[in-house]
Amino acid sequence: MPKVFSRPKSLKDIPFHYCPGCTHGIVHRLVAEVIDEMECFDKAIAVAPVGCAVFAYDYFDCDAFQAAHGRAPAVATGIKRVLPDRLVFTYQGDGDLAAIGTGEVVHAAARGENFTVIFINNAIYAMTGGQMAPTTLLGQKTTTTPYGRDRQVNGCPVRMCEMLAVLDGTAYVARVSVHNPANVNKAKKAIRRAFEVQMAGLGFSIVEVLSACPTNWGLSPLEALQWLEQNMIPYYPLGEFKVPAEEGGGQNV
Amino acid sequence: MAKVLMKGNEALGEGAVRAGCRYFFAYPITPQSELPHYLAKRLPEVGGVFLQAESEVASINMVFGAAGAGARVMTSSSGPGISLMQEGISYLAGAELPCVIVNMVRGGPGLGNIAPAQSDYFQATKGGGHGDYRLLVLAPYSVQEIIDLMQDAFDLAEKYRNPVMIMGDGVLGQMMEPVELPDVEVGPVAPPHRPWAATGRMGRATKNLINSLYIVPENCEVHNQKLWEKYRQIAANEQRWEEYQTADAELVLVAYGTSARICKAVVDMCREAGQKVGLLRPITLWPFPEKPFTNLLTTAKQFLAVEMSTGQMVEDVRLAVNGQRPVYFYGRSGGMLPVARDVYREVQKLYCGGEQ
Ligand SMILES: Cc1ncc(C[n+]2csc(CCOP(=O)(O)OP(=O)(O)O)c2C)c(N)n1
Ligand code: SF4
């Protein structure tokens, strides 16, 4: 019988440390499948973050870096300037990318650095115990917003894609979600498109993935996916915010 | 080989280029800005890349990426910028990546001023960032030595897979002196083959990882012990210094970089007056040259450390002397230079037992 489904070559066959119901694993798989399908395994270089996905460097079977908290876009800039023909991607959480590393991602995007950011938005700092992230929703309870995020005290959630899409240096900006199979498929398409944009040398690409953290949200895996759909998507609309000029306008994925 | 007239800051750039460095990431700060100016022009001529980063935090992490990808890479800054780089420097040391970091020290703390100082000695030699690590720190005192040490800096960085810091100051950066440049082919340099670099597997059987995370304490200790053993070897093999008029010296001045230039003049003044005064000039600040002290202690009755700080290296002099002789200190700080006449007066006080 022909094999129709197997583990991607780019993903090591080892158990992940992620909690049950965590969507980090799904996103890892999508990235690995795209690398395989594009036959980029030998060229791929991953830059892992600080955060729950810190061990991404172990799960991807390609060469990898572990970067300081938030600095992955600067590290990727250094790598890509030395090795312009490689497939370089960072994998960063919302605390990593939208708080401590805002400067690095905004400027890498503005410079049009030719690498791809996979941005996991789970609306929380997961690894350090469920504190508020810049992406935490108004009213959302976290360990540092026990009464719910209050606009007067904590300010408003940051929409990174919308922010980055206005920069001239970005080539491809999309937000996707992995809360159901249809969206998982769309997420994969966006990741593929981002990698293709990079390999065509068109500039900075980012795919934001709305992702579930059942553990720190205090929900069951299923409830977490529902919470994501009902609460995150209205604030963080899905779609392509920017595609390369020669490819025509953005579309909903 | 023809001699050319060069500014110290430009010599840092040309020295790096001749040492095969083709990647430079930096953020402007006085008194080292002529270096990025120079390399912004020079690197594209030799197939290299200069990138002005958005901050020192970014520039040192760009260095992390480029070094991990196998390139000869450098950054440069001054005090406040080096402070911002400390996180990255600790990661570079932890991940055992070679690179060169230039610090043209200015007056501090805080924003201080842009005048020359040596007040970053502790930060450079005692770690600076978090964790148990060391940098090799080289302190040139002339434009020629800048050129020569640049080559050594990159070689040492690679030999030990460790960041190397070149520590100078605004006087060295601004001074112009004739220099002899090494006769090397200056053109595009392909990143040399480094079996450990993360360059994409490109057919390699196993993956390469650039990492400083050891989550299991036992493993982290093993890593720290490995680093410690490396630092021990560096300390044993790489101490560098220059001695001037020390063979019979009863009073030994200890000074590096710009303050050593001043102290040389003071030694000459003393020798003219028939006084047995010499100079020990550390070239490596870490490892601190302890080796010469065994010999120096046969004649030296006292030591005087002269620094452009309120007294930092003097602590290492005390450790090296280990209580066997008195160690005194004279320093100017905040961007003020020690004047030869004042250092001379200080030496007279000590040499003549308190008489002027
Ligand atoms: C300089 C620095 N500050 C703080 C931390 C602690 N820290 C580790 S992970 C993390 C938050 C990560 O959150 P996020 O990026 O959203 O990733 P997630 O864990 O949610 O996947 C923080 C603050 C650190 N490692 N380094
Ligand atoms: S804490 Fe949250 S983000 Fe981290 S592994 Fe668990 S579910 Fe995933």
Side-chain angles (χ1 to χ4, degrees), chain A residues 24 50-53 69 93-96 100 122 124-128, chain B residues 87:
Chain A
H24 266 307
V50 165
C52 274
H69 195 27
D94 41 37
D96 199 77
I100 194 169
N122 57 13
I124 210 150
Y125 283 36
M127 188 193 224
T128 38
Chain B
E87 177 198 54

Side-chain angles (χ1 to χ4, degrees), chain A residues 65-67 75, chain B residues 60-69 88 91-92 95 97 210:
Chain A
F65 285 67
Q66 198 286 309
V75 172
Chain B
I60 194 71
N61 282 285
M62 291 172 185
V63 168
F64 186 93
Y91 273 73
L92 281 153
L97 293 181
I210 303 299

